[in-house]
Amino acid sequence: MARGPSKRDEKLRMEALVQEILQSRKEEMVEKAIQKDNRQATDYLAKQEFALERMEAIARKFSERKWIPEYKGKKAKHVERRVNLILSDLHYGADLDPKLVTFPFFALQESRRTAAIVTQAADYKRQYRAETELEIHLIGDIIQGKLHDVQNAADLTKQFDRALHNLIYGIEFLATEYRKVTVRTSVGNHGRDISRHPERAMQDKYDSNEFRIYRALKYRFAKVPNIVMETPMRGFYMYDQFGMKGVMTHGDTIFNPGYPGKVVDVQKLSTQINAFKLAHEENRDAILFGMGHVHTAMDVCVGGNTIITNGCLIPTDEYAQSIGIYNSHCSQQLWETVPGHMFGDHRRLDIGRGEDEDASLNKVIPVWESLEG
């Protein structure tokens, strides 16, 4: 009987895959840099080369993990339900100092809050688990980035590592709880690469720190038989569930839902959605529109369209505090889709100080400790 590849062969294969992707990224960056003037090109390439070297080591670290999650529950003949979970505005690596804001938010808090979200998603309607699949909408502001102050928050390497740590543990935990997990992605604002997009990204938005995180996740999950990950480059994506269509984007471009933490302009948003649906025939049948960015969990039906906005993982940071936002209600959105009902039973997954202090959540996602080890 033929033997499968050895662990050493598998490791070499994964390292070769990482190198191949990094080489492809370098070639793309060289082509883009040629189109800039010489001084800008040199500066741009130097910054990108440095970032790639840091991220290469991190990607290799996660590709070498040996444990593969496995779903051991029952499977019905047909899928009758899809559970949807939005993960956005997580802001890993923000490192909020309690001397400056109301609540701390470091590696411990972000790991436990993420664990609380995925355990709530795992506990949702277990009696129907055999006929249910999970779809995760990972739609931006995954890391804090360096938007407002380059010296603020953890350095980007640590933000990248902590995002991968929490998302790999969290999603692989869910892969042991659901027969199939589909992850779709859209990039946000805080995860942009400010060397390419110092202001809000309007072109090639995918060329970001966040998209690199998504691709690293995709290669990690390639080993997991019941995780499917899609990383479209466009600023939004459309998806189909039981013949019904939805649209997901972060919410800082494409649609403008309002100002984070303050206003969600439903009427203005409805007008934008109608324009989107009229623009192309393929857009016409969309009936659900989801986004993050505003840090406010809301669902409303306007003109036959369901609009969902997501909450956040991070408590109020210094920037929000400076513009008069003193308290953020932290939550993520979850709902069920069944034939004929795109937005069915709905839950807001709330998190806060209680979860920050719950050490039992470390069993689901260990607290990130160091780049070494």
Side-chain angles (χ1 to χ4, degrees):
M1 182 175 179
R3 297 179 62 184
S6 67
K7 291 182 178 179
R8 183 175 181 277
D9 290 340
E10 181 68 11
K11 180 179 177 181
L12 291 173
R13 188 184 72 81
M14 290 305 298
E15 287 183 355
L17 183 59
V18 169
Q19 290 293 337
E20 180 183 342
I21 300 308
L22 290 168
Q23 182 61 35
S24 176
R25 282 286 296 141
K26 289 178 183 178
E27 291 172 0
E28 289 179 14
M29 288 189 298
V30 170
E31 184 64 26
K32 289 178 181 295
I34 290 172
Q35 300 172 18
K36 300 174 180 283
D37 65 62
N38 290 337
R39 183 173 180 179
Q40 286 180 323
T42 302
D43 184 57
Y44 178 72
L45 277 174
K47 290 178 179 178
Q48 293 297 314
E49 182 70 22
F50 179 60
L52 280 168
E53 288 176 357
R54 295 185 300 174
M55 292 175 183
E56 177 181 1
I58 295 171
R60 185 185 301 114
K61 167 186 169 182
F62 283 104
S63 73
E64 291 174 352
R65 288 188 64 209
K66 296 179 174 59
W67 179 75
I68 303 297
E70 181 182 359
Y71 172 75
K72 297 181 179 180
K74 295 180 179 180
K75 295 182 182 180
K77 186 175 181 180
H78 301 290
V79 174
E80 302 291 344
R81 301 166 185 269
R82 287 196 170 93
V83 172
N84 294 269
L85 172 64
I86 296 182
L87 294 177
S88 77
D89 303 279
L90 308 175
H91 293 269
Y92 293 127
D95 286 358
L96 305 186
D97 188 337
K99 295 190 294 293
L100 301 172
V101 294
T102 305
F103 300 117
F105 188 66
F106 293 95
L108 182 146
Q109 289 81 16
E110 62 193 25
S111 289
R112 289 182 180 174
R113 289 183 178 216
T114 305
I117 292 297
V118 299
T119 53
Q120 289 182 72
D123 285 338
Y124 180 79
K125 292 191 177 182
R126 286 185 177 276
Q127 67 270 31
Y128 302 118
R129 190 55 49 89
E131 62 188 47
T132 304
E133 294 180 352
L134 175 66
E135 300 203 4
I136 298 174
H137 305 282
L138 191 59
I139 56 172
D141 281 8
I142 304 305
I143 59 173
Q144 179 75 347
K146 294 286 184 179
L147 265 62
H148 307 305
D149 181 350
V150 295
Q151 297 186 49
N152 185 250
D155 65 57
L156 284 175
T157 300
K158 290 179 180 177
Q159 292 187 36
F160 189 93
D161 197 61
R162 283 154 68 171
L164 285 175
H165 172 89
N166 287 294
L167 291 171
I168 287 173
Y169 271 102
I171 294 172
E172 290 189 346
F173 168 75
L174 289 169
T176 68
E177 296 284 340
Y178 285 90
R179 55 188 287 171
K180 180 180 179 183
V181 178
T182 300
V183 184
R184 298 186 178 93
T185 66
S186 183
V187 298
N189 181 38
H190 275 257
R192 72 175 186 255
D193 183 342
I194 59 174
S195 68
R196 168 77 193 275
H197 297 116
E199 304 297 332
R200 196 177 304 280
M202 301 298 184
Q203 294 180 311
D204 292 346
K205 188 179 180 183
Y206 76 92
D207 191 13
S208 65
N209 294 315
E210 212 153 66
F211 195 78
R212 294 164 195 157
I213 291 171
Y214 294 160
R215 296 297 290 179
L217 289 172
K218 183 177 177 68
Y219 294 116
R220 165 57 201 170
F221 295 149
K223 290 183 175 182
V224 186
N226 67 325
I227 297 180
V228 174
M229 187 156 184
E230 301 175 6
T231 57
M233 296 168 65
R234 202 171 184 181
F236 67 92
Y237 64 83
M238 299 185 69
Y239 67 101
D240 183 286
Q241 293 180 339
F242 304 113
M244 301 171 288
K245 292 183 179 179
V247 178
M248 289 284 164
T249 185
H250 178 65
D252 63 317
T253 60
I254 311 299
F255 303 117
N256 179 9
Y259 198 81
K262 285 192 171 182
V263 176
V264 179
D265 192 333
V266 174
Q267 190 56 52
K268 183 178 179 181
L269 190 52
S270 179
T271 301
Q272 296 170 43
I273 287 172
N274 288 334
F276 174 87
K277 294 178 71 170
L278 290 171
H280 298 287
E281 186 175 350
E282 64 182 17
N283 300 351
R284 184 181 58 197
D285 295 331
I287 57 175
L288 184 148
F289 295 81
M291 57 206 75
H293 189 55
V294 291
H295 290 206
T296 301
M298 178 202 74
D299 65 274
V300 63
C301 186
V302 180
N305 301 310
T306 297
I307 301 169
I308 307 170
T309 61
N310 202 31
C312 54
L313 199 74
I314 183 176
T316 300
D317 64 9
E318 282 190 83
Y319 180 79
Q321 183 176 261
S322 73
I323 57 174
I325 301 172
Y326 302 109
N327 185 35
S328 298
H329 184 87
C330 300
S331 65
Q332 301 284 280
Q333 295 271 42
L334 179 143
W335 70 97
E336 183 180 61
T337 299
V338 297
H341 297 279
M342 188 67 164
F343 188 66
D345 185 39
H346 162 246
R347 292 186 188 178
R348 190 184 67 208
L349 308 182
D350 295 323
I351 44 174
R353 292 288 289 165
E355 286 70 30
D356 294 345
E357 298 170 0
D358 186 355
S360 69
L361 293 168
N362 297 356
K363 297 176 182 178
V364 179
I365 300 179
V367 177
W368 180 91
E369 292 182 353
S370 172
L371 287 172
E372 299 180 7

